Amino acid sequence: MGLAQKAQAETQFADVGLEPDVLMALDVLRSAITVFDSRERLTYANQHFNYLFRGMPHREALIGHSYEDLVRLEYSAGELSDIEALGGIDAFVASRREQLQAGMYAPRDVRLADGRIVEIKTRRTPDGGWIALWSDATAARHLLWRFEDTVELSADAFAFWDSHDRLIHCNEDFAKFNGQSAKALQGQTFETVLRASAARSRYAIDGHVESWIERRLDAHHSPAGALTIVTSSGTAYLVRDRATRDGGRASVYTDITDHHRVESALGEQSQALDHARKALERSKDKAKRQSNYLADLTRRLDAAETEADTAKTAFLRTMSHELKTPLNAIIGFSDLLKSAPDHFKPEQIGEYAGLIHLAGHNLLRLINQILDLTKIAAGRYVLKRAPVPAGATLWAVSDTHAARAEQRGIAVTIDSEQDLMIDADESALTAMISYLVENAVSFTQKGGEVRLAAERGDGIIRLTISDNGPGVPEKDLARILEPFEQVGRGTSDHAHGAGLGLPLVKALVELHGGSLTLSSDGGLTAVLELPSA
């Protein structure tokens, strides 16, 4: 510090009781600091105060003024914006002075006439006075408002929770979903909101209410939980919960009512068709005596099949939701980057680009699965068969998924006999094994194991992919081989796909003249039997 500067600092604010070097240090801060005595009279202000309030008298001239005087000077100097809309200057002064009362120290924003927003924080000093900090919060508030507008414009219901699981923000769709205003929900914990909604019968709960609440809490607290819930009005939602980087959580509720209704209708039609076919089998021994009855039954069976086909067509239309989910992510994050490119750090841009890439990859994979199943069903899927080494293929697929398995702490082991050659389309064989390995890694819990094996049979090569994750109920093993069927394996940290992977594997292996067999005993085991070369 120069001698002149030091002398000036020693004469300014001498009654503050701080060393000149400290006063100089306070003057270089980018936040304004003001100190008031027990009578609310200003005893010190740093240089940044006059930077924030450029029309106010110099800080030295303000010493001795009360806090109320400062607020009124802000008004008379034209610093404040639209005071009349806040009830006039007297009401505004009273609201500002509330911040100097015990227990009323919450930060407050003040809008300035030039569009800036100043955040004020106050704290009591040991001698009964106050310290007030004034910071320019304009950029932070504008970014927050853009985020809130983006969430409010979304077709989904959004809610954000802090590290103590208390609601810090939600859009109107989430508030309506829970039957309360967004303001009333603010600060409530997730469990409090959940139990209040359940008590008001806002959910369609099949079974014990407390068990249902426990399942919902488990999904919410999982690193990446997802489940379907149905409201008392019949609206179905896909609910996804994710951990955020600040230790909180984000919840997204997507309306999938049409998808849910079509799935239920298809199940009812399939059950009715099965009953009709069984009735037809029981009637075969009475065919001659009941020809008229059988003719009528056949007509009704044909009608039931037509209705079932119609239901399947409607169900396929619900795939628009599966397509829309990654598209929403692509459009949403790209719009966010496009609207405010200068407000994001390089690491944020990289993260959003990664999310766009992941969503695009998932979308492409879904479309390819649909196209492959369509080609197989139409008899237009052409196999390019050649001898393919079984062991080398298992090792190649294992390498593809090694990074993800290592990240989840999952051990992958391979046991293959020597010189095993399969008569297969190499691309199709790799795709079948890759999906089964990905499925095993996805559903196996941390510290688990995925086992790959290849062995020779009677004219066949048997490939086995098994894991020790949660199993699949016996009654569901056949159903998950049908397109669009999704059966949980007791995990909440895996987002369900469209239910096309296993059906595609089954279709491809049967196109080779082989078979796929599933079994579950403390995990899931998939066995591919393919002709040997």
Side-chain angles (χ1 to χ4, degrees):
M1 179 189 301
L3 293 177
Q5 290 177 312
K6 194 164 186 177
Q8 183 182 13
E10 289 173 346
T11 58
Q12 290 178 338
F13 311 114
D15 57 343
V16 176
L18 297 177
E19 293 294 329
D21 288 340
V22 175
L23 294 174
M24 288 292 292
L26 293 177
D27 279 338
V28 301
L29 294 178
R30 295 183 61 83
S31 295
I33 299 176
T34 53
V35 181
F36 299 86
D37 62 17
S38 59
R39 295 182 300 164
E40 298 183 17
R41 298 195 175 277
L42 183 69
T43 62
Y44 171 76
N46 68 348
Q47 287 184 0
H48 201 73
F49 183 81
N50 281 122
Y51 175 79
L52 287 179
F53 297 100
R54 298 158 190 172
M56 293 276 285
H58 193 271
R59 56 181 180 146
E60 294 179 19
L62 298 175
I63 299 303
H65 283 68
S66 69
Y67 187 70
E68 179 175 341
D69 291 340
L70 293 186
V71 177
R72 292 186 181 276
L73 282 171
E74 293 170 16
Y75 174 67
S76 61
E79 294 281 3
L80 305 176
S81 171
D82 201 12
I83 294 301
E84 299 305 320
L86 300 176
I89 183 60
D90 291 335
F92 182 72
V93 169
S95 70
R96 287 277 295 275
R97 289 191 67 244
E98 286 179 355
Q99 206 176 4
L100 299 182
Q101 299 176 14
M104 302 291 287
Y105 304 143
R108 299 195 181 189
D109 286 353
V110 175
R111 290 175 177 265
L112 302 187
D114 60 5
R116 289 178 296 151
I117 300 168
V118 174
E119 180 188 67
I120 307 174
K121 298 178 181 178
T122 63
R123 285 295 182 272
R124 201 71 179 262
T125 60
D127 61 359
W130 288 268
I131 292 179
L133 300 179
W134 317 62
S135 303
D136 189 337
T138 309
R141 297 299 182 268
H142 286 177
L143 182 60
L144 175 62
W145 295 338
R146 291 190 189 103
F147 165 75
E148 290 175 344
D149 289 342
T150 301
V151 170
E152 200 61 47
L153 288 171
S154 172
D156 296 330
F158 279 87
F160 299 90
W161 316 84
D162 64 15
S163 58
H164 299 288
D165 217 13
R166 295 175 300 212
L167 184 72
I168 54 178
H169 181 72
C170 69
N171 61 2
E172 285 301 319
D173 285 342
F174 181 82
K176 291 177 182 177
F177 177 84
N178 287 280
Q180 300 185 57
S181 68
K183 184 177 180 180
L185 290 169
Q186 195 84 6
Q188 294 188 39
T189 66
F190 174 78
E191 184 171 356
T192 300
V193 174
L194 177 67
R195 290 187 179 277
S197 296
R200 292 195 297 271
S201 302
R202 298 194 66 83
Y203 303 113
I205 299 176
D206 184 14
H208 194 265
V209 174
E210 195 61 33
S211 297
W212 183 90
I213 289 176
E214 289 300 322
R215 290 195 301 272
R216 177 68 189 98
L217 289 173
D218 286 343
H220 176 72
H221 293 126
S222 297
L227 79 165
T228 299
I229 62 176
V230 182
T231 66
S232 54
S233 63
T235 305
Y237 288 89
L238 172 65
V239 182
R240 290 162 291 173
D241 295 282
R242 295 291 185 276
T244 56
R245 285 173 290 177
D246 62 355
R249 302 198 65 73
S251 302
V252 183
Y253 292 61
T254 303
D255 189 335
I256 57 167
T257 305
D258 291 341
H259 175 96
H260 185 75
R261 287 175 178 169
V262 170
E263 187 178 51
S264 299
L266 184 59
E268 292 173 1
Q269 289 292 339
S270 299
Q271 188 177 25
L273 184 60
D274 185 59
H275 289 330
R277 285 175 175 164
K278 289 179 179 178
L280 180 61
E281 290 175 359
R282 290 194 301 268
S283 301
K284 285 182 179 180
D285 60 339
K286 303 177 183 178
K288 292 182 181 179
R289 293 183 293 109
Q290 300 177 344
S291 58
N292 291 336
Y293 170 78
L294 287 176
D296 179 66
L297 181 60
T298 301
R299 285 193 296 272
R300 286 191 281 120
L301 182 59
D302 290 340
E305 290 175 340
T306 300
E307 290 177 5
D309 288 339
T310 301
K312 289 179 180 178
T313 301
F315 188 37
L316 284 173
R317 286 199 296 268
T318 65
M319 284 300 297
S320 63
H321 167 73
E322 300 294 339
L323 297 172
K324 188 165 62 177
T325 299
L327 281 174
N328 280 342
I330 294 170
I331 295 172
F333 284 111
S334 59
D335 281 349
L336 194 59
L337 292 171
K338 180 181 178 182
S339 64
D342 296 331
H343 291 286
F344 296 100
K345 298 178 180 179
E347 57 267 29
Q348 290 177 304
I349 295 174
E351 178 189 2
Y352 292 162
L355 293 171
I356 292 172
H357 177 79
L358 177 61
H361 177 76
N362 291 339
L363 181 61
L364 178 61
R365 178 184 181 185
L366 176 61
I367 292 172
N368 285 337
Q369 288 179 336
I370 295 172
L371 291 175
D372 286 344
L373 282 171
T374 303
K375 287 181 182 179
I376 294 172
R380 293 188 289 106
Y381 195 104
V382 180
L383 295 177
K384 299 178 181 179
R385 305 179 77 138
V388 181
T393 305
L394 291 179
W395 279 105
V397 172
S398 173
D399 288 343
T400 302
H401 298 279
R404 185 161 180 242
E406 182 178 356
Q407 183 182 19
R408 293 171 59 87
I410 297 171
V412 179
T413 61
I414 300 176
D415 182 15
S416 174
E417 297 180 15
Q418 297 293 323
D419 303 322
L420 297 182
M421 302 297 290
I422 303 173
D423 179 20
D425 183 314
E426 184 175 6
S427 177
L429 177 62
T430 301
M432 287 186 283
I433 299 173
S434 182
Y435 177 80
L436 294 175
V437 172
E438 179 186 10
N439 188 63
V441 171
S442 297
F443 284 104
T444 301
Q445 297 162 330
K446 184 175 181 180
E449 181 182 14
V450 174
R451 299 173 297 278
L452 284 63
E455 60 182 355
R456 192 186 309 277
D458 186 14
I460 63 169
I461 302 299
R462 186 177 294 106
L463 303 177
T464 303
I465 296 90
S466 61
D467 62 69
N468 60 354
V472 176
E474 185 70 22
K475 61 183 179 63
D476 293 328
L477 285 174
R479 186 157 68 89
I480 59 177
L481 292 174
E482 296 297 326
F484 309 112
E485 291 290 344
Q486 298 174 345
V487 178
R489 293 183 63 188
T491 62
S492 58
D493 61 344
H494 175 73
H496 293 296
L500 296 176
L502 284 173
L504 181 58
V505 174
K506 181 175 182 290
L508 286 172
V509 73
E510 289 178 353
L511 194 63
H512 282 80
S515 65
L516 168 65
T517 305
L518 299 180
S519 61
S520 182
D521 183 13
L524 184 67
T525 298
V527 178
L528 292 172
E529 292 189 349
L530 291 155
S532 61

